[in-house]
Amino acid sequence: QVQLVESGGGLVQPGGSLRLSCAASGFTFRHYAMRWYRQAPGKERELVATITNTGGSINYADSVQGRFTISRDNAKNTVYLQMNSLKPEDTAVYYCNVRISQIVPYDYWGPGTQVTVSS
């Protein structure tokens, strides 16, 4: 079955950096685009970054453009999110996502990893 497991979250001071990882299994990783979302308390889940299956096309939310970098290693079935110049408003639970279309598209999610930016 499809499994996504995020890691790398934690507490960091404003201006700091973190690197999130998402280990994927149960599907042919190199065939699918991958996404990072985040959800802050009291807010809706927000798309942060998308990377196509080959890494040839990448998109970011305006709020993280220039600070965050999404990447993937298809040999390791892992997608990453490098987060630099972190701000308190980046505080959220970060989720890895893959959408797999069988009969109908279905979104799979990891359990999430907490990122807290605070002094």
Coordinates of all heavy atoms in Angstrom, one line a residue, residues 43-98:
K43 N -6.0 27.3 10.1 CA -6.0 27.7 8.6 C -6.2 26.4 7.8 O -6.0 25.3 8.2 CB -4.7 28.4 8.3 CG -4.5 29.7 9.0 CD -3.3 30.4 8.4 CE -3.1 31.8 9.1 NZ -2.0 32.5 8.5
E44 N -6.5 26.7 6.5 CA -6.7 25.6 5.6 C -5.3 25.1 5.1 O -4.3 25.8 5.2 CB -7.5 26.1 4.3 CG -9.0 26.4 4.7 CD -9.8 26.6 3.4 OE1 -9.2 26.7 2.3 OE2 -11.0 26.8 3.6
R45 N -5.3 23.8 4.7 CA -4.1 23.3 4.1 C -3.7 24.0 2.8 O -4.5 24.3 2.0 CB -4.3 21.8 3.8 CG -3.0 21.0 3.6 CD -3.2 19.5 3.7 NE -3.6 19.1 5.0 CZ -3.7 17.8 5.4 NH1 -3.3 16.8 4.5 NH2 -4.0 17.4 6.6
E46 N -2.4 24.3 2.7 CA -1.9 25.2 1.7 C -0.8 24.4 0.9 O 0.1 23.8 1.4 CB -1.3 26.4 2.3 CG -0.5 27.3 1.3 CD 0.3 28.4 2.1 OE1 0.7 28.2 3.3 OE2 0.7 29.4 1.4
L47 N -0.9 24.5 -0.5 CA 0.1 23.9 -1.3 C 1.3 24.8 -1.3 O 1.3 26.0 -1.6 CB -0.4 23.8 -2.8 CG 0.6 23.2 -3.8 CD1 1.0 21.8 -3.4 CD2 -0.1 23.3 -5.2
V48 N 2.5 24.1 -1.0 CA 3.7 24.8 -0.8 C 4.6 24.7 -2.1 O 5.1 25.7 -2.6 CB 4.5 24.3 0.4 CG1 5.9 25.0 0.5 CG2 3.7 24.6 1.7
A49 N 4.7 23.5 -2.5 CA 5.6 23.2 -3.7 C 5.3 21.9 -4.4 O 4.8 21.0 -3.8 CB 7.1 23.2 -3.2
T50 N 5.5 21.9 -5.7 CA 5.2 20.7 -6.6 C 6.4 20.5 -7.4 O 7.1 21.4 -7.9 CB 4.0 21.0 -7.5 OG1 2.9 21.4 -6.7 CG2 3.7 19.8 -8.3
I51 N 6.7 19.2 -7.6 CA 7.8 18.8 -8.5 C 7.3 17.6 -9.4 O 6.7 16.7 -8.9 CB 9.1 18.4 -7.7 CG1 10.3 18.1 -8.6 CG2 8.8 17.2 -6.7 CD1 11.6 17.9 -7.9
T52 N 7.5 17.7 -10.7 CA 7.1 16.7 -11.6 C 7.9 15.4 -11.4 O 8.9 15.4 -10.7 CB 7.2 17.1 -13.0 OG1 8.5 17.6 -13.3 CG2 6.2 18.2 -13.3
N53 N 7.6 14.3 -12.1 CA 8.2 13.0 -11.8 C 9.7 13.0 -12.1 O 10.4 12.3 -11.4 CB 7.5 11.9 -12.6 CG 7.5 12.1 -14.1 OD1 7.4 13.3 -14.6 ND2 7.7 11.1 -14.8
T54 N 10.1 13.8 -13.1 CA 11.5 13.8 -13.5 C 12.2 15.0 -12.8 O 13.5 15.1 -12.9 CB 11.7 14.0 -15.0 OG1 11.1 15.2 -15.4 CG2 11.0 12.8 -15.7
G55 N 11.5 15.9 -12.1 CA 12.1 17.1 -11.6 C 12.2 18.2 -12.6 O 12.8 19.2 -12.3
G56 N 11.7 18.0 -13.8 CA 11.9 19.0 -14.8 C 11.0 20.2 -14.7 O 11.3 21.3 -15.3
S57 N 10.0 20.2 -13.9 CA 9.1 21.3 -13.6 C 8.8 21.4 -12.2 O 8.4 20.5 -11.5 CB 7.8 21.2 -14.4 OG 7.0 22.3 -14.2
I58 N 9.0 22.6 -11.6 CA 8.8 22.9 -10.2 C 8.0 24.2 -10.0 O 8.2 25.1 -10.8 CB 10.2 23.0 -9.5 CG1 10.9 21.7 -9.4 CG2 10.1 23.6 -8.1 CD1 12.3 21.7 -8.9
N59 N 7.1 24.2 -9.1 CA 6.3 25.4 -8.8 C 6.3 25.6 -7.3 O 6.3 24.6 -6.5 CB 4.9 25.2 -9.3 CG 4.9 25.3 -10.8 OD1 5.0 26.4 -11.4 ND2 4.7 24.2 -11.5
Y60 N 6.2 26.8 -6.9 CA 6.2 27.2 -5.5 C 5.0 28.2 -5.2 O 4.7 29.0 -6.1 CB 7.5 27.9 -5.0 CG 8.7 27.1 -5.2 CD1 9.6 27.2 -6.3 CD2 9.0 26.1 -4.2 CE1 10.7 26.4 -6.4 CE2 10.2 25.3 -4.3 CZ 11.0 25.5 -5.4 OH 12.1 24.7 -5.5
A61 N 4.5 28.1 -4.0 CA 3.6 29.2 -3.5 C 4.4 30.5 -3.5 O 5.6 30.5 -3.2 CB 3.1 28.8 -2.2
D62 N 3.7 31.6 -3.7 CA 4.3 32.9 -3.6 C 5.0 33.1 -2.3 O 6.0 33.8 -2.2 CB 3.3 34.0 -3.9 CG 2.9 34.0 -5.4 OD1 3.6 33.4 -6.2 OD2 1.8 34.7 -5.7
S63 N 4.4 32.6 -1.2 CA 4.9 32.9 0.1 C 6.2 32.3 0.4 O 6.9 32.7 1.4 CB 3.8 32.4 1.1 OG 3.5 31.0 0.9
V64 N 6.6 31.3 -0.4 CA 7.9 30.6 -0.1 C 8.9 30.7 -1.3 O 10.1 30.3 -1.1 CB 7.7 29.1 0.2 CG1 6.7 28.9 1.3 CG2 7.3 28.3 -1.0
Q65 N 8.5 31.3 -2.4 CA 9.3 31.5 -3.5 C 10.6 32.2 -3.1 O 10.6 33.2 -2.5 CB 8.6 32.3 -4.6 CG 9.4 32.5 -5.9 CD 9.4 31.3 -6.7 OE1 8.4 30.7 -7.0 NE2 10.6 30.9 -7.3
G66 N 11.8 31.6 -3.5 CA 13.1 32.2 -3.2 C 13.6 31.7 -1.9 O 14.8 32.0 -1.6
R67 N 12.8 31.1 -1.1 CA 13.3 30.6 0.2 C 13.3 29.1 0.4 O 14.2 28.5 1.1 CB 12.5 31.2 1.4 CG 12.4 32.7 1.4 CD 11.7 33.2 2.6 NE 10.3 32.8 2.7 CZ 9.8 32.1 3.6 NH1 10.5 31.7 4.6 NH2 8.5 31.8 3.6
F68 N 12.4 28.4 -0.3 CA 12.2 27.0 -0.2 C 12.7 26.4 -1.5 O 12.5 27.0 -2.6 CB 10.8 26.6 0.1 CG 10.3 26.9 1.5 CD1 11.0 27.7 2.3 CD2 9.1 26.4 1.9 CE1 10.5 28.0 3.6 CE2 8.6 26.6 3.2 CZ 9.3 27.4 4.0
T69 N 13.2 25.2 -1.4 CA 13.6 24.4 -2.6 C 13.1 23.0 -2.5 O 13.5 22.3 -1.5 CB 15.1 24.4 -2.8 OG1 15.6 25.8 -2.9 CG2 15.5 23.7 -4.1
I70 N 12.3 22.5 -3.5 CA 11.9 21.1 -3.5 C 12.8 20.4 -4.5 O 13.2 20.9 -5.5 CB 10.4 21.1 -4.0 CG1 9.8 19.6 -3.8 CG2 10.2 21.6 -5.4 CD1 8.3 19.5 -4.0
S71 N 13.1 19.1 -4.1 CA 13.9 18.3 -4.9 C 13.5 16.8 -4.7 O 12.7 16.5 -3.8 CB 15.4 18.5 -4.6 OG 15.7 18.1 -3.3
R72 N 14.0 15.9 -5.5 CA 13.7 14.5 -5.3 C 14.8 13.7 -5.8 O 15.6 14.1 -6.6 CB 12.4 14.2 -6.1 CG 12.5 14.3 -7.6 CD 11.2 14.1 -8.3 NE 10.6 12.8 -8.1 CZ 9.3 12.5 -8.2 NH1 8.4 13.5 -8.5 NH2 8.9 11.3 -8.1
D73 N 14.9 12.5 -5.2 CA 15.9 11.5 -5.6 C 15.1 10.2 -5.9 O 14.6 9.5 -5.0 CB 16.9 11.2 -4.4 CG 18.0 10.3 -4.8 OD1 17.8 9.5 -5.7 OD2 19.0 10.3 -4.1
N74 N 14.9 9.9 -7.2 CA 14.1 8.8 -7.6 C 14.8 7.5 -7.3 O 14.1 6.5 -7.2 CB 13.8 8.9 -9.1 CG 12.7 10.0 -9.4 OD1 12.1 10.5 -8.5 ND2 12.6 10.3 -10.7
A75 N 16.1 7.5 -7.1 CA 16.7 6.2 -6.7 C 16.5 5.9 -5.3 O 16.5 4.7 -4.9 CB 18.2 6.4 -6.9
K76 N 16.1 6.9 -4.5 CA 15.9 6.7 -3.0 C 14.4 6.8 -2.7 O 14.0 6.7 -1.5 CB 16.7 7.7 -2.2 CG 18.2 7.5 -2.3 CD 18.9 8.5 -1.4 CE 20.4 8.3 -1.5 NZ 21.1 9.3 -0.6
N77 N 13.6 7.0 -3.7 CA 12.1 7.2 -3.5 C 11.8 8.3 -2.4 O 11.0 8.0 -1.5 CB 11.5 5.9 -3.1 CG 11.3 4.9 -4.2 OD1 11.8 5.2 -5.3 ND2 10.8 3.7 -4.0
T78 N 12.5 9.4 -2.5 CA 12.4 10.4 -1.5 C 12.3 11.8 -2.1 O 13.0 12.1 -3.1 CB 13.7 10.4 -0.6 OG1 13.8 9.1 0.0 CG2 13.6 11.4 0.5
V79 N 11.4 12.6 -1.5 CA 11.3 14.0 -1.9 C 11.7 14.9 -0.8 O 11.5 14.5 0.4 CB 9.9 14.3 -2.4 CG1 8.9 14.1 -1.4 CG2 9.8 15.7 -3.0
Y80 N 12.3 16.0 -1.1 CA 12.9 16.9 0.0 C 12.3 18.3 -0.1 O 11.8 18.7 -1.2 CB 14.4 17.0 -0.2 CG 15.1 15.7 -0.2 CD1 15.5 15.0 -1.4 CD2 15.4 15.0 1.0 CE1 16.1 13.8 -1.4 CE2 16.1 13.8 1.0 CZ 16.5 13.2 -0.2 OH 17.1 12.0 -0.2
L81 N 12.3 19.0 1.0 CA 12.0 20.4 1.0 C 13.0 21.1 1.8 O 13.0 21.0 3.1 CB 10.6 20.6 1.6 CG 10.1 22.1 1.4 CD1 9.9 22.4 0.0 CD2 8.8 22.3 2.2
Q82 N 13.9 21.8 1.2 CA 14.9 22.6 1.9 C 14.3 24.0 2.2 O 13.8 24.7 1.2 CB 16.1 22.8 1.0 CG 17.2 23.7 1.6 CD 17.8 23.1 2.8 OE1 18.2 22.0 2.9 NE2 18.0 23.9 3.9
M83 N 14.2 24.4 3.4 CA 13.6 25.6 3.8 C 14.6 26.5 4.5 O 15.2 26.2 5.5 CB 12.5 25.3 4.8 CG 11.5 24.3 4.3 SD 10.1 24.1 5.4 CE 10.9 23.4 6.8
N84 N 14.9 27.7 3.8 CA 15.8 28.7 4.3 C 15.1 29.9 4.7 O 13.9 30.2 4.3 CB 16.9 28.9 3.3 CG 17.7 27.7 2.9 OD1 17.9 26.8 3.7 ND2 18.1 27.7 1.6
S85 N 15.8 30.8 5.4 CA 15.2 32.1 5.9 C 13.8 31.9 6.4 O 12.9 32.7 6.1 CB 15.2 33.1 4.7 OG 16.5 33.2 4.1
L86 N 13.7 31.0 7.3 CA 12.4 30.7 7.9 C 11.8 31.8 8.7 O 12.6 32.6 9.4 CB 12.5 29.4 8.8 CG 12.5 28.1 7.9 CD1 13.1 27.0 8.8 CD2 11.1 27.8 7.4
K87 N 10.5 32.0 8.6 CA 9.8 33.0 9.3 C 8.8 32.4 10.3 O 8.3 31.3 10.1 CB 9.0 33.9 8.3 CG 9.9 34.5 7.2 CD 9.0 35.2 6.2 CE 9.9 35.8 5.0 NZ 9.1 36.5 4.0
P88 N 8.3 33.1 11.3 CA 7.3 32.6 12.2 C 6.1 32.2 11.4 O 5.4 31.2 11.8 CB 7.0 33.8 13.1 CG 8.3 34.5 13.2 CD 8.9 34.4 11.8
E89 N 5.7 32.8 10.4 CA 4.5 32.4 9.6 C 4.7 31.1 8.8 O 3.7 30.6 8.2 CB 4.1 33.6 8.7 CG 5.2 34.1 7.8 CD 5.8 35.4 8.4 OE1 6.1 35.4 9.6 OE2 6.1 36.3 7.6
D90 N 5.9 30.6 8.8 CA 6.1 29.3 8.2 C 5.7 28.1 9.2 O 5.8 27.0 8.8 CB 7.6 29.1 7.8 CG 7.9 30.0 6.7 OD1 7.1 30.2 5.7 OD2 9.1 30.6 6.7
T91 N 5.4 28.5 10.4 CA 5.1 27.5 11.4 C 3.8 26.7 11.0 O 2.8 27.4 10.7 CB 4.8 28.1 12.8 OG1 6.1 28.7 13.2 CG2 4.3 27.1 13.8
A92 N 3.9 25.4 10.9 CA 2.8 24.6 10.4 C 3.2 23.1 10.5 O 4.4 22.8 10.7 CB 2.5 24.9 9.0
V93 N 2.2 22.3 10.3 CA 2.5 20.9 10.0 C 2.7 20.7 8.5 O 1.8 21.2 7.7 CB 1.4 19.9 10.5 CG1 1.7 18.5 10.2 CG2 1.2 20.1 12.0
Y94 N 3.8 20.1 8.1 CA 4.1 19.9 6.7 C 3.8 18.5 6.3 O 4.2 17.6 7.0 CB 5.6 20.3 6.5 CG 5.8 21.8 6.5 CD1 5.7 22.5 7.6 CD2 6.1 22.5 5.3 CE1 5.9 23.9 7.6 CE2 6.2 23.9 5.3 CZ 6.2 24.6 6.4 OH 6.4 25.9 6.4
Y95 N 3.1 18.4 5.2 CA 2.7 17.1 4.7 C 3.2 16.8 3.3 O 3.2 17.7 2.4 CB 1.1 17.0 4.6 CG 0.4 17.2 5.9 CD1 0.0 18.5 6.3 CD2 0.1 16.1 6.7 CE1 -0.7 18.6 7.5 CE2 -0.5 16.3 7.9 CZ -0.9 17.5 8.3 OH -1.6 17.7 9.5
C96 N 3.6 15.6 3.0 CA 3.9 15.1 1.7 C 2.7 14.5 1.0 O 1.8 13.9 1.7 CB 5.0 14.0 1.9 SG 5.7 13.3 0.5
N97 N 2.6 14.7 -0.2 CA 1.4 14.3 -1.0 C 1.7 13.7 -2.3 O 2.6 14.2 -3.0 CB 0.4 15.5 -1.2 CG -0.6 15.2 -2.2 OD1 -0.5 15.5 -3.4 ND2 -1.8 14.7 -1.8
V98 N 1.0 12.7 -2.7 CA 1.0 12.1 -4.1 C -0.4 11.9 -4.5 O -1.2 11.4 -3.7 CB 1.9 10.9 -4.2 CG1 1.3 9.7 -3.4 CG2 2.1 10.5 -5.7

